[in-house]
Amino acid sequence: LPLSFPLSPVVGKHQSFSAGVCCEWLRCCGGGEPRPRTVWLGHPEKRDQRYPRNVINNQKYNFFTFLPGVLFNQFKYFFNLYFLLLACSQFVPEMRLGALYTYWVPLGFVLAVTVIREAVEETRCYVRDREVNCQAYSRLTARGQPPVFLFITQNQRVPADMIFLRTSEKNGSCFLRTDQLDGETDWKLRLPVACTQRLPTAADLLQIRSYVYAEEPNIDIHNFVGTFTREDSDPPISESLSIENTLWAGTVIASGTVVGVVLYTGRELRSVMNTSNPRSKIGLFDLEVNCLTKILFGALVVVSLVMVALQHFAGRWYLQIIRFLLLFSNIIPISLRVNLDMGKIVYSWVIRRDSKIPGTVVRSSTIPEQLGRISYLLTDKTGTLTQNEMVFKRLHLGTVAYSLDSMDEVQSHIFSVYTQQSQDPPAQKGPTLTTKVRRTMSSRVHEAVKAIALCHNVTPVYESNGVTDQAEAEKQYEDSCRVYQASSPDEVALVQWTESVGLTLVGRDQSSMQLRTPGDQILNFTILQIFPFTYESKRMGVIVRDESTGEITFYMKGADVVMAGIVQYNDWLEEECGNMAREGLRVLVVAKKSLAEEQYQDFEARYVQAKLSVHDRSLKVATVIESLEMEMELLCLTGVEDQLQADVRPTLETLRNAGIKVWMLTGDKLETATCTAKNAHLVTRNQDIHVFRLVTNRSEAHLELNAFRRKHDCALVISGDSLEVGAGTPPTGSSWECASLPALGRGGDGGNDVSMIQESDCGVGVEGKEGKQASLAADFSITQFKHLGRLLMVHGRNSYKRSAALSQFAVFSSVFYFASVPLYQGFLIIGYSTIYTMFPVFSLVLDKDVKSEVAMLYPELYKDLLKGRPLSYKTFLIWVLISIYQGSTIMYGALLLFESEFVHIVAISFTSLILTELLMVALTIQTWHWLMTVAELLSLACYIASLVFLHEFIDVYFIATLSFLWKVSVITLVSCLPLYVLKYLRRRFSPPSYSKLTS
């Protein structure tokens, strides 16, 4: 690959490095506790560090564990274990009731479907992993030595956790895209080690003797502690290493080409240590089916005991119990497992094919019914409900505030400051009062705007025709070619605003910044120190020197909760922050402090010493910085607003009307979060809001919860600290709503939402501006938040109701067939549960009670599903009673109507059995699909055609007689007609809610 670094062919060679190949230097190191390490450069004799194999592996199984693992996951549930024991029992001669294939063929089919599905998913995962693991990288190494340095070009993924040594960018820095690591799409600025960046060429890295000391591997992606020491200089150079000098695996180089040295690989990567193995999810519906299976088994045991008791437990009665259990085993239908698994595949296919929610991906095909049982929805705010695009809304100076409609006044003040000298009239005896007031206000506005224009981590990048960093464009500071890159959209919004009012950031590198005034004058500032924003400090700062005056100024901005104790006393900060937050604005407090040269030199010495500390570095550095953070001058408050996603309001209203309780999770100030909830219609305008006060123990939380319960139709706002106190086991007599949820759905869009999604009952990822990490980890992935309504109201509802119908009908078929099971053997047993009835029963996956438009228009229909009515003990019992009635009717009807030969009983009852089953499917269907009609006719045709080959069980000549036809007709009519009449009466006098909408 062509590189911008000149490589010496004498001392080094340019080779290929594969992220998936473990060279000698990256060998597996075995077990052991993580510990700090030293990476030696230019010391071949000390290269004894061993590293875990650097491969990505997202598969659940390997070649040896695949089959045992799949089978274990299948048979750990009672439903499947029952059929395995049943089939195995047929190898015992005393227990055998029929041919082995009658038991093993259905079980084998179920297992084959499962194994094939898992194999396909594992293969896809393997292909994705292999694609990443086989990516080739350039490396710089001396002849005869293991590879040391890796080259990573623009848009390449970083293959391991590395220390940043050099860059091709002339500003001495590079940008990273970290969306797949932390969920943030804004670019992060990274700085190389200063002494290696100063080397003439990259090949000179092979000539120096140095080492990197690094902390032990850990999960913290926002902090790093280490040092870089060059031993061959006089005196030895030692530099502190922080997060700004790192390139974490999974990030992407956004600008230039970089050279780095590997620190951590394999399981020691930050990204790997932050990723938990996704748990195998089983839906609430499957657990209910498993429970119903246990009930059926209990009934089977009772029937078997009764049969043995009628024989007075004579002989080997325990063996008789087992034989009766085997004889009546068909009461638990194996076809249920087949139909449900195949139904899940159909539901997933239908979701992916829905043109009204394009781009939707189903990554977990085992829980589509769970979409119809969501009671609580936990959603991230930024990037999910909002666009993560900030707009500057307010500048507050204490005595005056400027909104969007008055920004021209700010622009006028800035213009006057930089043009006042040339516009001043000839000397007068003294300025008027009006002039003094204006100059004072202009000075305050100017100081605030300049602070905002300097205190940030934004870098202007110049582009021309798609090529970054065009020298000519940057030289001329062309506005049309400039874009801003930063680690936060708030930062970009603030700098774009300062540009709009006349003070433009036109250049920045590692050590300087340039601002352009309204008069096209360039102001140069030297960056002396930068204190990046962290989640712990909630603030960031910069120390700059004005090149024109030599003044050193410390600027800082941050959240009001921390800045209130840093700035000088004032009587308006807290009140105005609250007012702006209640308008939904994200508030930052901006302050400054002028430093004398001696004061700064003293600070720098202490700061450099603290940064070189290996132990407790963060604490020591924070202590030094805090020595400056005292009595700072409060300049202004800034307010930015995050724009809502399209159609968020109607979507949240739909979810609320469907009975789903929505929780919005955000790190914003309480007032800001409340305002956003109102704007998004998560909380109605007239709805009361209960703010859960800060509690310190479980008893206080219990009292506060009871106070909330006494309110009617009230929204709850709770802080993370209070939620943490109340999240454990509740005290006696109380129950947190979130402690036992029927089904919990969670949605997010960034890498920071992955854990929440993986722990949910049903995770939905949104491919938002915070990357695709959450989308890749979710069970379902959508492209827009508004698609969530259709995913739940239409597909979730249909999937659950269809599976409920499938499961109940399978139970009905089994009990119904059980009534005459002793009469049928061999192929009749197999045929009944496969070609004769399988297609019509399975066609229920196409049934729907209302059109999708009606389901979206009336989300109240979703509420019925939350109560579990489609599949409950009541409906289960009703179907069992129906099956017993029809099975008894067919059995006794055949006994009463058969003539002289036993084979006629089989012919009459089995034909009535098939016809009744087909009619019951027709009775169950609510909306006919043409494939349902085909399935009914095809099954009937298969039965009629197969009669020619069933002469061993059925008298072929008898079924052609008129006697056979009228007897079958009477039995079928008696078994089905009462149910059709009951269905008509029920719809006539007590119609379900959906029937009122379809009429």
Side-chain angles (χ1 to χ4, degrees):
L1 296 177
L3 298 175
S4 57
F5 299 101
L7 301 182
S8 170
V10 178
V11 298
K13 56 184 178 180
H14 190 197
Q15 299 179 337
S16 171
F17 175 83
S18 171
V21 177
C22 181
C23 61
E24 181 182 357
W25 188 52
L26 301 178
R27 287 185 298 187
C28 182
C29 66
E33 290 295 324
R35 58 183 183 274
R37 64 188 49 177
T38 301
V39 179
W40 299 94
L41 307 175
H43 294 268
E45 73 282 358
K46 295 184 178 181
R47 194 174 306 284
D48 57 355
Q49 184 72 49
R50 297 295 180 261
Y51 291 78
R53 190 163 178 260
N54 194 43
V55 295
I56 291 176
N57 185 2
N58 291 310
Q59 298 169 248
K60 291 185 291 186
Y61 314 101
N62 59 36
F63 179 80
F64 300 101
T65 62
F66 173 74
L67 194 58
V70 172
L71 294 179
F72 172 77
N73 286 329
Q74 285 298 304
F75 294 128
K76 69 180 180 181
Y77 297 108
F78 174 80
F79 190 95
N80 296 328
L81 181 62
Y82 168 77
F83 289 108
L84 176 64
L85 297 176
L86 182 66
C88 290
S89 69
Q90 295 306 292
F91 289 111
V92 181
E94 291 82 0
M95 300 180 183
R96 182 175 298 176
L97 296 178
L100 286 176
Y101 69 86
T102 60
Y103 294 90
W104 281 100
V105 168
L107 179 61
F109 178 77
V110 172
L111 294 179
V113 170
T114 302
V115 170
I116 291 173
R117 184 182 63 196
E118 289 288 337
V120 169
E121 293 182 357
E122 285 291 285
T123 301
R124 290 174 178 171
C125 188
Y126 170 77
V127 171
R128 289 195 299 266
D129 290 347
R130 181 176 174 80
E131 181 181 352
V132 175
N133 290 330
C134 290
Q135 290 179 1
Y137 293 83
S138 303
R139 66 190 182 190
L140 178 68
T141 180
R143 286 195 178 97
Q145 294 184 12
V148 176
F149 305 108
L150 294 186
F151 288 89
I152 307 175
T153 59
Q154 186 174 358
N155 294 324
Q156 267 196 313
R157 185 184 66 89
V158 179
D161 288 351
M162 306 171 64
I163 291 297
F164 184 14
L165 299 180
R166 284 184 62 85
T167 177
S168 62
E169 296 288 273
K170 64 180 182 180
N171 61 6
S173 63
C174 81
F175 282 103
L176 286 181
R177 293 201 299 268
T178 63
D179 52 336
Q180 299 305 312
L181 182 66
D182 58 11
E184 299 177 359
T185 53
D186 304 286
W187 293 4
K188 304 294 193 303
L189 182 70
R190 290 294 183 263
L191 306 175
V193 177
C195 65
T196 54
Q197 178 66 20
R198 288 194 296 264
L199 294 174
T201 68
D204 291 326
L205 289 169
L206 298 172
Q207 306 301 314
I208 65 174
R209 293 172 65 85
S210 57
Y211 65 87
V212 176
Y213 177 82
E215 63 183 351
E216 70 278 359
N218 59 71
I219 66 173
D220 190 353
I221 64 174
H222 300 292
N223 294 288
F224 174 76
V225 175
T227 58
F228 182 93
T229 303
R230 182 174 178 181
E231 299 178 302
D232 57 356
S233 62
D234 189 20
I237 299 174
S238 185
E239 296 185 31
S240 66
L241 300 177
S242 66
I243 186 65
E244 293 180 332
N245 307 114
T246 61
L247 305 171
W248 293 147
T251 60
V252 177
I253 303 300
S255 62
T257 300
V258 304
V259 183
V261 60
V262 175
L263 277 185
Y264 311 116
T265 60
R267 64 174 178 272
E268 295 180 346
L269 297 175
R270 291 291 208 271
S271 56
V272 173
M273 298 180 75
N274 273 279
T275 304
S276 58
N277 293 325
R279 63 187 180 93
S280 180
K281 295 183 180 180
I282 181 170
L284 179 62
F285 176 82
D286 292 304
L287 294 176
E288 292 172 343
V289 169
N290 199 55
C291 182
L292 293 179
T293 303
K294 294 177 182 178
I295 294 176
L296 286 175
F297 180 75
L300 181 60
V301 172
V302 171
V303 172
S304 301
L305 288 174
V306 169
M307 298 300 291
V308 173
L310 292 176
Q311 299 177 3
H312 306 289
F313 295 96
R316 293 191 295 178
W317 58 269
Y318 51 87
L319 187 58
Q320 292 297 319
I321 292 178
I322 297 177
R323 290 180 64 86
F324 276 119
L325 286 173
L326 297 174
L327 181 64
F328 300 145
S329 62
N330 286 299
I331 196 173
I332 301 178
I334 195 171
S335 59
L336 172 58
R337 183 75 272 159
V338 178
N339 286 338
L340 290 180
D341 286 347
M342 297 298 291
K344 294 175 189 292
I345 296 175
V346 172
Y347 307 149
S348 301
W349 182 82
V350 171
I351 292 174
R352 288 193 295 265
R353 297 275 295 181
D354 191 344
S355 60
K356 294 186 178 180
I357 49 174
T360 300
V361 178
V362 180
R363 290 190 168 84
S364 180
S365 59
T366 59
I367 56 171
E369 301 93 349
Q370 199 76 352
L371 293 172
R373 304 291 297 278
I374 302 300
S375 299
Y376 291 82
L377 176 71
L378 274 67
T379 176
D380 176 42
K381 181 186 80 76
T382 304
T384 303
L385 299 182
T386 63
Q387 301 178 26
N388 201 21
E389 291 184 355
M390 303 298 173
V391 178
F392 191 93
K393 292 285 189 178
R394 185 74 52 80
L395 176 70
H396 206 297
L397 301 180
T399 57
V400 62
Y402 299 96
S403 300
L404 287 179
D405 56 355
S406 57
M407 289 304 171
D408 55 336
E409 296 182 31
V410 178
Q411 190 174 15
S412 175
H413 286 304
I414 298 298
F415 183 81
S416 66
V417 167
Y418 289 105
T419 59
Q420 188 68 43
Q421 186 174 1
S422 61
Q423 294 179 356
D424 275 346
Q428 299 176 356
K429 291 184 179 180
T432 63
L433 180 61
T434 303
T435 304
K436 282 185 176 181
V437 172
R438 176 164 182 81
R439 284 182 176 177
T440 302
M441 182 54 64
S442 296
S443 176
R444 291 182 59 194
V445 171
H446 169 247
E447 284 298 323
V449 174
K450 186 170 73 169
I452 297 171
L454 290 172
C455 187
H456 52 72
N457 61 7
V458 181
T459 299
V461 178
Y462 292 85
E463 299 179 346
S464 178
N465 298 324
V467 180
T468 306
D469 197 16
Q470 295 297 310
E472 189 62 30
E474 186 169 358
K475 182 178 179 181
Q476 301 297 327
Y477 297 136
E478 292 289 343
D479 292 343
S480 60
C481 302
R482 184 176 55 250
V483 294
Y484 294 117
Q485 294 297 344
S487 59
S488 167
D490 304 58
E491 300 271 73
V492 175
L494 292 174
V495 173
Q496 287 176 338
W497 174 77
T498 64
E499 178 183 358
S500 70
V501 297
L503 204 55
T504 306
L505 176 69
V506 293
R508 178 176 185 154
D509 57 26
Q510 191 172 345
S511 59
S512 66
M513 268 190 286
Q514 293 78 40
L515 301 180
R516 187 175 63 197
T517 69
D520 286 335
Q521 177 187 1
I522 301 299
L523 306 178
N524 293 291
F525 296 87
T526 300
I527 301 175
L528 301 177
Q529 299 291 344
I530 295 180
F531 314 118
F533 172 87
T534 65
Y535 292 102
E536 293 78 18
S537 67
K538 295 183 175 61
R539 59 189 182 275
M540 69 90 59
V542 60
I543 300 178
V544 297
R545 175 186 279 120
D546 190 334
E547 290 298 309
S548 63
T549 63
E551 294 179 351
I552 299 176
T553 308
F554 175 31
Y555 293 106
M556 176 166 283
K557 68 181 179 187
D560 61 302
V561 291
V562 295
M563 295 296 290
I566 294 175
V567 299
Q568 297 170 349
Y569 173 78
N570 61 87
D571 57 359
W572 60 273
L573 175 61
E574 182 178 358
E575 180 182 358
E576 295 303 331
C577 283
N579 293 336
M580 294 172 68
R582 278 186 285 273
E583 296 179 30
L585 302 181
R586 187 176 293 181
V587 184
L588 287 175
V589 180
V590 183
K592 79 166 188 175
K593 184 176 187 179
S594 297
L595 303 178
E597 184 69 33
E598 298 79 9
Q599 186 180 6
Y600 171 72
Q601 293 299 334
D602 175 68
F603 165 80
E604 184 183 34
R606 291 184 290 116
Y607 184 63
V608 171
Q609 189 64 33
K611 288 178 66 177
L612 289 175
S613 301
V614 175
H615 303 290
D616 298 325
R617 176 190 291 181
S618 299
L619 178 61
K620 295 176 180 178
V621 169
T623 302
V624 174
I625 296 176
E626 286 173 2
S627 66
L628 285 185
E629 298 174 340
M630 295 184 297
E631 294 298 311
M632 297 188 70
E633 178 185 351
L634 175 60
L635 296 178
C636 65
L637 306 180
T638 65
V640 296
E641 184 180 43
D642 197 355
Q643 304 297 298
L644 290 175
Q645 293 276 17
D647 296 327
V648 159
R649 291 165 178 160
T651 301
L652 289 177
E653 287 180 355
T654 296
L655 298 177
R656 190 170 62 248
N657 292 334
I660 299 175
K661 298 176 177 63
V662 183
W663 288 77
M664 181 184 74
L665 312 179
T666 178
D668 286 338
K669 191 175 175 66
L670 185 143
E671 292 84 359
T672 305
T674 303
C675 184
T676 302
K678 288 182 177 179
N679 290 339
H681 290 189
L682 180 64
V683 178
T684 61
R685 291 291 178 182
N686 299 325
Q687 192 173 19
D688 290 334
I689 296 179
H690 178 84
V691 179
F692 204 94
R693 67 180 178 87
L694 188 64
V695 295
T696 57
N697 56 60
R698 304 285 296 158
S699 298
E700 291 180 2
H702 178 46
L703 294 174
E704 188 67 15
L705 182 62
N706 287 337
F708 167 67
R709 282 193 178 136
R710 286 192 289 268
K711 299 182 179 181
H712 177 68
D713 190 25
C714 183
L716 175 64
V717 180
I718 184 171
S719 67
D721 294 334
S722 297
L723 185 61
E724 187 176 1
V725 172
T729 305
T732 305
S734 70
S735 62
W736 287 81
E737 280 191 302
C738 292
S740 57
L741 307 181
L744 185 59
R746 307 189 191 189
D749 70 319
N752 52 344
D753 302 318
V754 168
S755 297
M756 175 178 73
I757 285 176
Q758 289 180 340
E759 288 301 315
S760 65
D761 295 328
C762 183
V764 180
V766 184
E767 292 187 7
K769 296 204 171 188
E770 292 193 12
K772 296 184 178 181
Q773 188 79 350
S775 171
L776 294 173
D779 303 305
F780 302 89
S781 171
I782 55 180
T783 57
Q784 299 180 53
F785 182 79
K786 65 179 182 179
H787 292 168
L788 182 62
R790 184 174 179 86
L791 185 65
L792 300 183
M793 301 301 112
V794 177
H795 295 289
R797 186 173 182 275
N798 286 342
S799 298
Y800 175 52
K801 290 181 71 70
R802 289 165 177 173
S803 287
L806 273 179
S807 59
Q808 292 181 133
F809 205 91
V811 171
F812 154 78
S813 301
S814 184
V815 178
F816 168 55
Y817 166 76
F818 159 74
S820 51
V821 67
L823 298 178
Y824 314 132
Q825 298 181 6
F827 183 78
L828 294 182
I829 297 177
I830 300 295
Y832 172 77
S833 58
T834 55
I835 61 173
Y836 296 155
T837 63
M838 182 176 66
F839 297 117
V841 172
F842 187 69
S843 70
L844 292 175
V845 300
L846 303 173
D847 193 18
K848 58 182 179 181
D849 52 1
V850 296
K851 294 181 179 179
S852 59
E853 294 79 9
V854 175
M856 289 296 297
L857 186 60
Y858 298 98
E860 292 79 6
L861 293 172
Y862 192 88
K863 287 184 179 180
D864 293 339
L865 309 187
L866 302 182
K867 301 173 183 178
R869 290 176 177 173
L871 181 64
S872 62
Y873 293 118
K874 176 183 177 182
T875 57
F876 171 73
L877 180 60
I878 290 174
W879 277 102
V880 169
L881 294 176
I882 291 174
S883 61
I884 292 175
Y885 162 73
Q886 291 187 326
S888 302
T889 300
I890 292 173
M891 185 61 187
Y892 287 107
L895 289 173
L896 291 174
L897 299 176
F898 88 99
E899 296 178 356
S900 56
E901 298 182 16
F902 176 79
V903 72
H904 292 169
I905 297 181
V906 176
I908 295 174
S909 62
F910 195 77
T911 304
S912 301
L913 194 72
I914 300 299
L915 292 177
T916 301
E917 178 99 358
L918 297 179
L919 289 174
M920 287 302 296
V921 171
L923 179 66
T924 305
I925 293 175
Q926 295 167 331
T927 303
W928 280 87
H929 189 279
W930 67 270
L931 284 177
M932 295 176 171
T933 305
V934 171
E936 291 265 327
L937 297 177
L938 180 62
S939 296
L940 183 60
C942 288
Y943 176 65
I944 295 174
S946 65
L947 290 176
V948 179
F949 307 100
L950 299 178
H951 53 82
E952 181 181 352
F953 309 104
I954 296 177
D955 186 350
V956 180
Y957 298 101
F958 174 70
I959 63 176
T961 63
L962 185 62
S963 175
F964 169 80
L965 294 177
W966 77 260
K967 291 177 181 178
V968 168
S969 300
V970 169
I971 293 175
T972 305
L973 191 64
V974 172
S975 65
C976 294
L977 184 60
L979 297 176
Y980 273 82
V981 173
L982 289 175
K983 179 181 179 180
Y984 170 78
L985 294 176
R986 181 173 179 271
R987 291 183 65 91
R988 179 70 174 81
F989 298 104
S990 181
S993 56
Y994 63 83
S995 64
K996 302 174 183 178
L997 303 176
T998 56
S999 60

